[in-house]
Amino acid sequence: MANILLVANLNCDRILLLDKPLASGGRFHYRDGGQRLGGGGANTGLGLVWAGHRVALVSQVGRDDVGDWLLAETSTAGIDCHLIQRRPGNTCEMLLMMTPNGDRTIIRPQRPIFELPAPPRWRRWDALYINSSAEGAVSWAKTALEHCLVVGQLAKDERKRPCHVLITSSSDLAGRAEGELWEYAQGIAGDCLRHFIVTDGAKGARAYSSDGVIRVAAEPAEVIDTTGAGDVYAAGLIHGLLTGMPLELAMREAAIWGAFAVQSESSTPGTALKNYLDEKESECHTTAIVGG
C-alpha cells in the first residue's frame, strides 16, 4: 500500500518478572521471562507490515550475537533492515522489570551516538516516522516535509522535531508545556505542523490544531502490558492517515490498535491485531468482489 520509513530504536528486551512491587532497599526474586523483540522500530513497524505496507527501518545495533538475533527476528517479521547500521561492540539488553500488579520499570544502557547518513530520495517514500535521538534527524525531517507525510514522537528533551503530526503522551508532556499546547507544539515541530496529538491511556486522546481540539475516546481493553502501546498507536494513526481517513477516524483506528497492544503480553503488537487487520482486508476484498 504505502512505503514507510521508520527512524526508531530496535531493542532486545529482557523480561524480569518480579515477585512483588519494587521498593527502595528491598530484596526481590524474579523469573526470567526471556528475550523479546522491542523498541519503537519493531513496535511500530510490525502493525504497519501486517496492514500491508512496505516498512523499512533505520536504526543501529552492535556487531554481536544479539545484534544478529535482532536483525534476523526483524527481517523475518517482514521489516526491511537494509538501512540498519552495525556498530562495533555489544548490543546491550533493555531490562524490563514487571511486578505482579502490572507496574513496569525499564533500565536501559546509555545509547551510543547514532549518526544518520545523508537523507534518502523522499519521492520513494509516502511517510517518514521519527522516534529517535539520532543525530541528523532534524535534517531528514526538514528535507522530507515537502515530499511525504512526516510524523514525529515528542523527544524526551526539547529538541526540535519538524513534522506534520507530532505525538506524545500526557505523562511525557507533564510539566513541560507552559501556556497553550498548540503554541508549544509549534515551537517544537515548526510551521508545517498540522496536528499535535496527546494520548492519555484510558482517557483517550486529544488532537490540537489551529482550529481547536478534537477528543477521541479510548477503546475498552483489559490491560496486561502497556509497554510499546504508544508506538502501536502511532502505527495505527499513520495507517489511517495514509489510507485517506480524516484525522478523527484515523485516531479512532489508532485507539483500536493501541487497545490490542495493551492486551498483549509483549511490547510488540500481539496476534489479535494481526487477526483484526486480516479480517478487515478480507471484508474489503469481499466488498470489492460484490461491488464489481
Side-chain angles (χ1 to χ4, degrees):
M1 295 177 70
N3 294 322
I4 304 170
L5 189 60
L6 308 180
V7 181
N9 296 320
L10 188 61
N11 297 335
C12 174
D13 292 345
R14 171 68 66 178
I15 313 303
L16 304 180
L17 303 169
L18 304 185
D19 63 332
K20 56 186 177 183
L22 283 171
S24 177
R27 295 191 178 190
F28 308 91
H29 291 96
Y30 72 88
R31 179 166 54 88
D32 191 342
Q35 292 177 323
R36 72 185 188 191
L37 191 62
N43 300 340
T44 303
L46 279 178
L48 290 169
V49 167
W50 293 342
H53 302 289
R54 179 193 169 223
V55 179
L57 177 60
V58 181
S59 193
Q60 183 186 66
V61 298
R63 198 173 294 278
D64 61 347
D65 290 343
V66 175
D68 291 342
W69 179 83
L70 282 171
L71 291 181
E73 290 290 310
T74 307
S75 298
T76 300
I79 298 175
D80 183 344
C81 294
H82 82 278
L83 294 174
I84 294 180
Q85 297 181 17
R86 304 296 298 269
R87 59 173 175 77
N90 294 330
T91 308
C92 297
E93 294 179 331
M94 183 88 70
L95 301 181
L96 272 68
M97 297 185 291
M98 315 292 291
T99 62
N101 62 359
D103 289 339
R104 60 189 172 100
T105 300
I106 299 175
I107 301 177
R108 66 174 180 85
Q110 186 69 36
R111 295 188 189 278
I113 295 175
F114 174 31
E115 296 183 7
L116 296 174
R121 296 180 179 179
W122 294 115
R123 293 179 182 177
R124 295 181 49 200
W125 303 97
D126 299 297
L128 167 67
Y129 173 67
I130 297 180
N131 184 15
S132 169
S133 59
E135 295 187 2
V138 170
S139 176
W140 275 41
K142 285 182 176 179
T143 58
L145 285 169
E146 295 183 2
H147 302 284
C148 64
L149 174 69
V150 180
V151 180
Q153 283 280 354
L154 183 69
K156 300 300 183 185
D157 53 27
E158 299 304 300
R159 72 183 63 203
K160 301 299 181 181
R161 188 74 91 205
C163 59
H164 299 117
V165 181
L166 183 65
I167 308 174
T168 191
S169 66
S170 59
S171 57
D172 285 343
L173 186 62
R176 296 176 58 178
E178 296 181 1
E180 294 292 331
L181 288 182
W182 175 242
E183 293 179 1
Y184 168 80
Q186 282 187 308
I188 297 291
D191 294 336
C192 287
L193 186 66
R194 301 169 188 165
H195 308 290
F196 179 39
I197 297 176
V198 181
T199 61
D200 197 7
K203 296 180 181 179
R206 307 180 304 278
Y208 298 86
S209 73
S210 58
D211 296 326
V213 183
I214 296 174
R215 291 177 172 81
V216 175
E219 285 289 315
E222 180 183 354
V223 178
I224 296 175
D225 185 352
T226 61
T227 309
D231 299 323
V232 180
Y233 180 96
L237 184 76
I238 293 169
H239 169 72
L241 294 175
L242 289 178
T243 52
M245 294 182 189
L247 178 66
E248 185 170 349
L249 289 182
M251 291 174 67
R252 290 178 184 174
E253 181 70 9
I256 294 172
W257 288 39
F260 282 122
V262 299
Q263 294 178 96
S264 170
E265 293 184 350
S266 66
S267 59
T268 53
T271 55
L273 174 59
K274 187 176 188 304
N275 294 338
Y276 163 78
L277 293 170
D278 288 343
E279 289 175 5
K280 286 191 67 174
E281 182 181 2
S282 178
E283 290 173 2
C284 291
H285 182 67
T286 302
T287 301
I289 292 176
V290 173

